[in-house]
Amino acid sequence: MTTSPHDAGAPSARTIVNRYRHLAHYDRPTIDAILDAMPVAHIAYLHEGQPIVTPTLQWREGDRVYWHGANNGRMMRATEGADVCLTVSILDGLVLARSAFNFNVNHRSVMVFGKAEAVTDREEKVRLLTRLINSFAPNQWDKLRPATAPEINATAILSLKIGEASAKVRSGPPEDNEGDYAHPVWAGVLPIRLTVGAAEPDPRNLPGVAAPDLSGYRIG
């Protein structure tokens, strides 16, 4: 299988898609778009010999994906320098078929494998945290109460190079067995979309404090 300069790399034994191979994507534009569309990721790792999966916020810069947590937290201590699998999934619809065994979901998902690397430079940590906060509300970091040195020190940021990764994308109607299309039962897709609602103010906001501009925030 050949790859282009925009690929995440030739599919490895860990990333190659064996089930529904026609849904597989290894190109970076597809992988990046899914990572950028969903801030919630799940990090899979081993802790004291036990498999753990932890949800967290992730964000991408170039060919790296980042996540943060408490320095003394289990996930950050167990994953630094260790092999992990980061996954992001977006549910786009329920696919109702004519056979129970052809029910499916329309979705976009990514798996990234590699060794988690810690960001240790303080200025770089602040820059990355600033980018995370400003991704929710533009220029919001500079309006917040300044972060203290203990807060920065207590926060760990890990990153993963997007070098060993694959995506799966399914869309469209059910794929039934040819003989089942004559079966008299409804089949089709129930679309599912994530939407951003109107901002709900904290009841303890100070009088006259304006809300940030959140009109550009999108998810999914």
Side-chain angles (χ1 to χ4, degrees), residues 11-112:
S12 67
R14 295 193 292 188
T15 61
I16 192 166
V17 176
N18 293 304
R19 179 72 169 159
Y20 297 117
R21 291 189 179 186
H22 63 288
L23 303 181
H25 295 263
Y26 303 100
D27 62 289
R28 279 292 304 279
T30 299
I31 290 168
D32 291 354
I34 296 170
L35 292 173
D36 294 346
M38 172 53 67
V40 177
H42 289 80
I43 313 295
Y45 55 96
L46 287 176
H47 174 66
E48 298 178 349
Q50 298 298 315
I52 304 289
V53 178
T54 300
T56 187
L57 291 178
Q58 64 82 22
W59 67 102
R60 183 186 66 85
E61 275 196 10
D63 65 352
R64 303 196 76 87
V65 60
Y66 296 86
W67 65 97
H68 78 295
N71 254 327
N72 60 357
R74 175 175 63 183
M75 176 180 65
M76 309 310 275
R77 288 186 286 106
T79 55
E80 182 179 347
D83 280 315
V84 301
C85 176
L86 179 146
T87 65
V88 168
S89 301
I90 306 170
L91 180 62
D92 292 322
L94 301 180
V95 181
L96 287 72
R98 294 164 182 83
S99 163
F101 296 96
N102 285 325
F103 269 54
N104 213 324
V105 292
N106 285 341
H107 71 284
R108 292 162 283 159
S109 62
V110 163
M111 299 179 70
V112 185

Side-chain angles (χ1 to χ4, degrees), residues 3-9 27-29:
T3 61
S4 78
H6 299 293
D7 288 338
D27 62 289
R28 279 292 304 279

Side-chain angles (χ1 to χ4, degrees), residues 12-13 16 30 39 60 68 111 123 132 152 168 176 179 195 201 209:
S12 67
I16 192 166
T30 299
R60 183 186 66 85
H68 78 295
M111 299 179 70
E123 290 186 3
L132 172 63
I152 298 299
K168 287 180 75 174
D176 272 307
T195 61
V209 173

Side-chain angles (χ1 to χ4, degrees), residues 144-168:
L144 303 177
R145 186 265 291 159
T148 65
E151 288 174 330
I152 298 299
N153 293 336
T155 302
I157 297 179
L158 297 179
S159 77
L160 193 61
K161 182 176 175 59
I162 309 172
E164 191 179 358
S166 62
K168 287 180 75 174

Side-chain angles (χ1 to χ4, degrees), residues 39 57 131-138 140 213-214 216-217:
L57 291 178
R131 185 189 183 283
L132 172 63
I133 296 302
N134 289 345
S135 70
F136 300 133
Q140 190 72 359
D213 181 8
L214 301 171
Y217 187 75

